[in-house]
Structures are given as structure tokens and as C-alpha cells.
Amino acid sequence: MFFLKKKRENENIETTLKEYLSQTSDMYRQENSATGEILDRIQNEQAEMQNFLRKKMETLDDFLDQLQEEKEADDEIKELQKKSSEREKQLCQLISIYSEQLHTIEEFLSDKEGWHEQFQMMSQKRKQVGSLAQIQEIGTVGEPFNYRLHDIIKTEETDQETVDGIISRVYAPGLLYQGQVIKKAQVCVYKK
């Protein structure tokens, strides 16, 4: 009887263990299934995130390429502007020298009647073309002296108060380009 009792107890324990193992196994399968679903979802989300990041990286690479192209184009424009500015300065210097030479020739021809009229017509044409290019000659006899526009080479004494500070002679004309002084006129000014 003792053995029967032990046997029954063992059978009860075995049955309980089998039920427990079966329940645990079912729970494990259910949890494993749920874990698998979660793992699948995580893997799907990870794949979507990788696709999203890849697309964003491609977009960023395209944007950086575009920025680089714009910078290179901007650098080219700046280089062209620099070269253009240098050429412009050289042309203004050339025009300034040309203007001085013409002024000297005009002074020389002022007492030669036929040549003087011819030169005045050429000078008028030069001033018209210069005006279109926003180039203006400065320094005219009879205008008031201006430190911004003129350099005094010489002064001429006068008793007349009305001409004090007025230009009496132009040795070399000055030049304005787009309103900026390129070269000051070299002048003689009346002084009281």
C-alpha cells in the first residue's frame, strides 16, 4: 500500500509535471510566436528605416553636389568680375593718357585756325561717345576749383575777387568713370 500510494503520488506528480510542461510549452510557443511577430515588425521597420536613410543620403549627396556646382559657378563669376574690373581700370588709364595727349594737341593747335576747328569737332565727338560710356572729362577753365576733382599745379595771383578759386588754366584734364574720379585734373587756379 505504501508503494501504491507512492506510485499514485508519483503518477500525480508526473501528470502535474506533464500538464505544467504542456502549458509552459504552449506559453513558450505563444510567446515565441509573439516574439517572432515583434521581431518581424522590427526587421520590417529596420528595412524601411534603411531605405528612408538611403534615400535621404542620396538627396543629401545630390544637394551637396548642387552646392559644389553653384560654388564653382560663383567662383568663376567672381574671377570674371575681377578680370573685368582689372581691364576696366586699364582702359580708364589708357583713356586718361589719351585725354591728356588730346588736350596737349588742342593747346598746340589753338592758334592754328583750320586745325583748331577740325580738332574741336573731333573733341566734341569724343565727349559724346565718352558720355555714352559714362566717362566724363573734368577740369574746365572758368569752373570753381574742387579738391575732389582737381589738383593744383600752380596758382595765379589776381586782384579780382570774383575769380578767386576759379580755374585759370588746365594742364591735364581729369576723368570721371561712372561718377568716380579716375584721375584728377591738373589745373592752375586764380588766387587773391
Side-chain angles (χ1 to χ4, degrees):
M1 196 148 182
F2 176 72
F3 287 112
L4 271 176
K5 199 174 186 190
K6 274 291 193 191
K7 191 176 177 184
R8 269 193 231 142
E9 279 180 17
N10 282 342
E11 284 175 3
N12 283 343
I13 290 175
E14 193 177 318
T15 305
T16 306
L17 273 174
K18 283 182 183 176
E19 286 176 10
Y20 177 75
L21 283 174
S22 175
Q23 288 174 352
T24 304
S25 180
D26 288 344
M27 269 185 9
Y28 177 73
R29 273 190 223 104
Q30 287 174 354
E31 285 181 8
N32 198 15
S33 174
T35 303
E37 289 174 12
I38 291 172
L39 187 58
D40 287 345
R41 269 199 330 240
I42 289 173
Q43 287 173 342
N44 287 339
E45 288 176 5
Q46 185 180 15
E48 287 176 12
M49 184 60 76
Q50 285 174 339
N51 285 336
F52 175 77
L53 287 175
R54 190 184 79 251
K55 288 178 184 176
K56 288 299 177 186
M57 289 301 290
E58 288 171 1
T59 303
L60 181 61
D61 286 343
D62 291 344
F63 178 70
L64 290 174
D65 288 345
Q66 182 182 357
L67 277 180
Q68 182 64 29
E69 288 171 6
E70 288 176 5
K71 183 187 179 306
E72 288 170 2
D74 194 39
D75 289 346
E76 282 182 40
I77 289 171
K78 286 179 182 175
E79 185 63 28
L80 288 173
Q81 286 175 335
K82 182 180 174 185
K83 287 179 181 178
S84 176
S85 179
E86 288 174 16
R87 265 188 256 121
E88 192 175 56
K89 286 178 185 176
Q90 291 168 349
L91 283 173
C92 286
Q93 288 174 345
L94 184 64
I95 290 169
S96 175
I97 292 167
Y98 173 70
S99 182
E100 278 185 48
Q101 290 172 345
L102 289 177
H103 180 75
T104 303
I105 293 169
E106 184 177 15
E107 288 290 315
F108 176 74
L109 296 176
S110 64
D111 62 344
K112 299 181 179 30
E113 207 169 294
W115 285 101
H116 183 66
E117 291 171 6
Q118 180 71 23
F119 190 81
Q120 281 185 331
M121 288 189 316
M122 287 172 42
S123 183
Q124 199 65 344
K125 180 71 172 171
R126 176 179 47 92
K127 287 178 182 177
Q128 288 173 349
V129 171
S131 174
L132 293 174
Q134 296 182 344
I135 297 172
Q136 180 184 358
E137 210 172 82
I138 52 176
T140 307
V141 172
E143 73 180 4
F145 173 77
N146 181 332
Y147 282 104
R148 187 177 86 79
L149 305 174
H150 310 112
D151 278 334
I152 298 176
I153 302 300
K154 185 178 174 184
T155 58
E156 191 174 321
E157 293 291 325
T158 181
D159 292 336
Q160 299 176 5
E161 195 170 310
T162 57
V163 294
D164 187 34
I166 301 294
I167 295 173
S168 64
R169 181 174 175 162
V170 177
Y171 296 108
L175 202 61
L176 287 178
Y177 176 63
Q178 295 181 347
Q180 292 186 347
V181 177
I182 301 301
K183 179 183 176 283
K184 290 183 176 185
Q186 297 176 345
V187 297
C188 177
V189 178
Y190 287 117
K191 184 177 180 183
K192 184 166 178 172

